[in-house]
Amino acid sequence: MISALVASDFATPHVDYHALAPEIVLGVGICLLIVLDLFLAESRKWLVSTVAGLILLGAVLPVVTLGVIGSDVRSMFDGRYVIDNFSLVLKALFLLSGYVVVLMSSRDTEERTPYQGEYYTLLLTSIMGMVMMASARDLVSVFVALEFLSIPAYMLAAWRKRDSKSNEAGMKYFLLGVFASAVMLYGMSLLYGVTGSTRLVDIGQAVTGTDHLVGVQVLGIVFVIVGFAFKVSAVPFHTWAPDVYQGAPTPITAFLSVASKAAGFVALSLLVFLAFPAAKSVYEPFLWVLAAVTITVGNLLALKQKNIVRMLAYSSVSQGGFILMPLAVAGTGDARTSLRAVVVYLIIYAATNLGAFAVVMAVSRKTHSGEIASYGGLFNYAPGLAAVMTLFLASLAGIPPFGGWYAKFGAFKAVLEARTGAAYTLAVIAAVNTVVSAAYYITLMREMWMKPAPDGDESPVRVPRNLVAALVITGVATLAFGVLPGFSGYGAITGLAGAFGR
Amino acid sequence: MDILVFVCAAAMILCGALGVVTLRHPVHAALSLVLTLFGVAVLFVAQNAHFLAVAQVIVYAGAIVVLFLFVIMLLGVDRVEDLHAEPFKVQRPLAIVSGVALAGLLIAAVVASQHTNVAARGAGLPGVNPVRNDLHDGNIVALSKDLFSGHVLAFELTSVLLVIAVVATVLLARRSRGIDAAPTDGQAT
């Protein structure tokens, strides 16, 4: 038996430990948190959130050193796991937004949940899945990364076990997530069946040209895109989003609407740019329809919402449509511009949306309400909060000079560069929707600045320190990306993101 | 011979799948799932994937269906579930229409690509020696090589995922200590 194994030519895979360091730090950190939680006294549980934050920052460190050392592509396991500039930028994004979510959660979990250790363990696991997703260049790795980031998220959405809305959120997210996984897996197996490889690059070579596309290949591509459309809550696969966002604890809502969605877009870009770049006759019309419908329906539904979390949920559905837009012209337009537009949009949207949710958390500590009407008089008793919320809302609406403006600019630029009738139509639809979206953001601003407080209670809001830190990080990022595009490191980041190593 | 095996296995799979959907008693439904899984295992054997067939029988037909039966027993089989309650009247016809449409689409796609020379059809894992020697199934060697070289990272990380699934399940099933009672923030309506 042993002789047979020796005889078979097994080569030990080359492992580049420096390149894998972020994953290793996170993996060790997850185990450490589970053990640490066992030995901490109940009164010292707050340490868990601090340690979780430190683990995330510790994992950012190797990402930075890898970025500084060089721009050469580190490829492992036969090109199935690749560290290039694209993956480094997104790893940093996932880890830092994870850190902001930890900052947002710390006070909330201390006060309200007895299971802090498990909360942060699950959060870190989900982030680890996203970090993996950024490097995965193989259908198997993509799928494992997706399950890695989804399974803890199902549990986190159902975190408030006594709250029926949270139970509903967890259940809906789980059922629809599993359904989407099944559809996607079916598509992946079809793709593997017709191409004979799970590596994205091999699939890209096998799916060649428009005239050779086989029916099964088309189905595989469509099913895989549908699976990820669920993940990024593109209409008509968005139905889970508002209920889940409303039922989940607010920091988790922020996490799902930013990081989890970004991971879905990362996977979608990997597939579009690596696995089926030649099949643009299939994915472009499909993504075009998804983008147009997502932007429009998300906006129209957001207009009617009375609850701020639901409003932000539909607004994030609509923002997802803007990120789909460059992907819908990735084949006819310039692939580099499209990819860069997607990455830049993801970064800026992450900063802005996390910030908006941090303000929602701070305000609800006083008002204990999620109604938009409860934001009346915010400027009178909490001018700082009202100002940063205005910053985030203006950025989401795409008003210069805030970050969201630059993100939208990039998306429109990518679409217009395609120079086709369909692309121009999509740009017009998006432009009309940008104007419509301003309506509900401005409604909230008017509520904060003009209206009196609904119950006359004008005592100041006490914002916990960690939440202030989260607000400062996201606020500075939102402002800096808008005011100084192309300045200092930012130009380098967008430049990096364009280079897509294989 | 090949055709005969395929037709029998396909009939098993289809009958089992229909049974899962149509049978009223949950235990019967779970048992007809076993039929489907066995049919798939037979197809694997017909394709020379013996290892996969064994894994299919042990893991799916064995462990997972037993787990299903346990859950059904614990929940109680005697309770009558009224499956005719319909919150939306259009749902059922709509589901039938979209199901038939999807099936039609799949069949059309397979038929359309039937005559195309699809790259490396049925080639399976690279390096599989279809001629088995006396001691080993070539599949196992190829599978393990693939698992421990190309996919080793995904394979190792799956173990972490299993730990996390256990943590989440324990948490979900555990009786809470009553601190997480009332929702007081943005979600309250």
Side-chain angles (χ1 to χ4, degrees):
Chain A
M1 193 71 189
I2 290 170
S3 62
L5 283 181
V6 173
S8 70
D9 49 312
F10 178 77
T12 318
H14 163 69
V15 181
D16 182 347
Y17 285 101
H18 188 195
L20 275 183
E23 286 85 350
I24 294 173
V25 170
L26 278 177
V28 172
I30 288 166
C31 300
L32 189 78
L33 265 190
I34 297 179
V35 176
L36 181 72
D37 184 52
L38 288 177
F39 294 102
L40 274 182
E42 203 62 44
S43 58
R44 299 175 67 81
K45 288 279 189 204
W46 54 269
L47 260 173
V48 174
S49 72
T50 316
V51 173
L54 287 178
I55 291 169
L56 285 172
L57 292 183
V60 176
L61 213 62
V63 174
V64 172
T65 57
L66 282 169
V68 168
I69 282 176
S71 56
D72 55 330
V73 175
R74 291 158 182 261
S75 170
M76 270 174 285
F77 311 123
D78 215 6
R80 291 191 165 89
Y81 204 77
V82 172
I83 316 292
D84 53 13
N85 291 325
F86 170 79
S87 64
L88 284 179
V89 169
L90 284 156
K91 278 178 193 211
L93 170 71
F94 291 136
L95 291 168
L96 290 177
S97 24
Y99 182 67
V100 172
V101 173
V102 168
L103 283 179
M104 286 163 68
S105 316
S106 57
R107 193 57 180 264
D108 208 45
T109 46
E110 262 169 55
E111 286 167 4
R112 302 246 296 277
T113 164
Y115 309 119
Q116 290 193 56
E118 288 83 351
Y119 179 92
Y120 291 104
T121 309
L122 291 174
L123 192 62
L124 285 190
T125 320
S126 191
I127 294 167
M128 183 155 164
M130 295 165 190
V131 169
M132 271 181 77
M133 183 68 93
S135 282
R137 300 288 186 271
D138 168 88
L139 288 183
V140 177
S141 324
V142 166
F143 184 71
V144 170
L146 183 82
E147 291 303 297
F148 225 93
L149 71 92
S150 305
I151 290 176
Y154 301 145
M155 181 60 218
L156 286 171
W159 194 254
R160 303 230 165 87
K161 281 162 51 177
R162 298 289 185 80
D163 179 6
S164 63
K165 271 202 185 320
S166 185
N167 285 340
E168 182 190 339
M171 200 65 202
K172 276 190 176 160
Y173 194 30
F174 174 69
L175 287 177
L176 283 174
V178 170
F179 178 66
S181 289
V183 172
M184 181 174 29
L185 212 49
Y186 191 30
M188 283 181 173
S189 63
L190 288 180
L191 278 180
Y192 174 61
V194 290
T195 59
S197 172
T198 56
R199 290 200 306 163
L200 298 183
V201 183
D202 293 344
I203 294 175
Q205 276 164 1
V207 181
T208 46
T210 44
D211 44 340
H212 290 92
L213 275 181
V214 187
V216 177
Q217 288 179 339
V218 175
L219 269 190
I221 292 170
V222 169
F223 278 8
V224 172
I225 293 181
V226 166
F228 283 110
F230 268 102
K231 208 73 222 160
V232 302
S233 60
V235 180
F237 311 109
H238 69 293
T239 41
W240 57 274
D243 292 330
V244 172
Y245 288 0
Q246 195 181 3
T250 318
I252 295 307
T253 306
F255 180 67
L256 292 181
S257 76
V258 169
S260 173
K261 184 176 258 199
F265 276 113
V266 168
L268 214 48
S269 338
L270 287 176
L271 291 166
V272 164
F273 288 106
L274 289 182
F276 26 85
K280 68 177 182 188
S281 58
V282 178
Y283 76 78
E284 279 201 339
F286 191 49
L287 287 179
W288 190 96
V289 174
L290 278 187
V293 177
T294 304
I295 298 177
T296 314
V297 173
N299 258 338
L300 292 182
L301 291 173
L303 275 176
K304 295 194 298 185
Q305 300 306 318
K306 298 270 180 286
N307 181 297
I308 182 138
V309 178
R310 280 189 94 85
M311 190 272 264
L312 284 174
Y314 280 114
S315 122
S316 85
V317 168
S318 158
Q319 300 277 348
F322 281 99
I323 313 178
L324 277 174
M325 219 163 61
L327 289 176
V329 296
T332 43
D334 181 20
R336 246 161 209 280
T337 322
S338 302
L339 182 61
R340 189 170 308 163
V342 170
V343 174
V344 169
Y345 208 114
L346 286 178
I347 294 172
I348 294 176
Y349 167 74
T352 309
N353 223 36
L354 283 176
F357 275 107
V359 175
V360 170
M361 286 188 67
V363 173
S364 70
R365 293 184 70 81
K366 171 177 183 287
T367 59
H368 302 297
S369 159
E371 298 305 301
I372 290 178
S374 71
Y375 279 70
L378 189 68
F379 178 63
N380 292 334
Y381 58 83
L385 278 182
V388 276
M389 189 58 164
T390 310
L391 164 73
F392 295 132
L393 291 175
S395 173
L396 282 175
I399 299 171
F402 307 112
W405 158 74
Y406 187 70
K408 284 211 165 68
F409 174 75
F412 276 108
K413 184 161 161 274
V415 172
L416 291 177
E417 271 185 10
R419 293 179 209 286
T420 56
Y424 288 129
T425 320
L426 186 58
V428 169
I429 295 174
V432 171
N433 274 294
T434 312
V435 178
V436 174
S437 76
Y440 51 86
Y441 295 127
I442 288 174
T443 312
L444 184 57
M445 287 188 213
R446 194 187 61 196
E447 204 71 47
M448 293 188 303
W449 292 80
M450 314 274 198
K451 297 277 179 66
D455 49 359
D457 175 15
E458 299 219 327
S459 57
V461 182
R462 276 212 308 251
V463 187
R465 242 182 339 180
N466 285 343
L467 213 48
V468 173
L471 282 172
V472 168
I473 295 174
T474 53
V476 167
T478 307
L479 204 58
F481 285 143
V483 177
L484 312 163
F487 175 71
S488 68
Y490 186 54
I493 290 176
T494 53
L496 283 179
F500 208 158
R502 302 203 163 181
Chain B
M1 185 62 190
D2 274 359
I3 283 288
L4 191 68
V5 171
F6 174 77
V7 169
C8 290
M12 269 167 85
I13 294 172
L14 283 179
C15 291
L18 277 178
V20 172
V21 183
T22 51
L23 287 176
R24 305 299 299 275
H25 203 286
V27 174
H28 297 168
L31 289 178
S32 49
L33 185 63
V34 178
L35 189 63
T36 300
L37 296 172
F38 264 117
V40 176
V42 171
L43 282 187
F44 281 147
V45 172
Q47 300 280 323
N48 267 334
H50 298 100
F51 177 72
L52 213 53
V54 171
Q56 168 90 5
V57 170
I58 293 177
V59 175
Y60 283 92
I64 290 183
V65 172
V66 169
L67 202 69
F68 276 167
L69 290 174
F70 261 120
V71 172
I72 292 168
M73 264 161 52
L74 288 175
L75 288 179
V77 274
D78 303 330
R79 250 190 305 170
V80 181
E81 299 282 346
D82 185 12
L83 295 174
H84 291 284
E86 282 186 68
F88 301 110
K89 279 279 179 244
V90 283
Q91 253 178 355
R92 203 164 287 223
L94 216 60
I96 292 172
V97 168
S98 49
V100 170
L102 192 63
L105 192 70
L106 278 170
I107 293 168
V110 171
V111 169
S113 38
Q114 186 188 14
H115 296 296
T116 357
N117 187 19
V118 172
R121 176 184 283 157
L125 287 170
V128 175
N129 184 7
V131 187
R132 284 172 296 143
N133 56 31
D134 302 335
L135 278 173
H136 315 289
D137 185 348
N139 280 302
I140 300 177
V141 175
L143 196 69
S144 48
K145 255 201 279 189
D146 203 48
L147 209 55
F148 287 100
S149 59
H151 297 109
V152 68
L153 185 73
F155 178 72
E156 293 293 338
L157 286 173
T158 311
S159 61
V160 181
L161 188 60
L162 290 178
V163 173
I164 293 307
V166 171
V167 169
T169 316
V170 168
L171 205 63
L172 207 59
R174 194 171 166 187
R175 194 164 297 178
S176 65
R177 277 172 266 162
I179 308 179
D180 56 341
T184 45
D185 65 353
Q187 290 82 41
T189 44

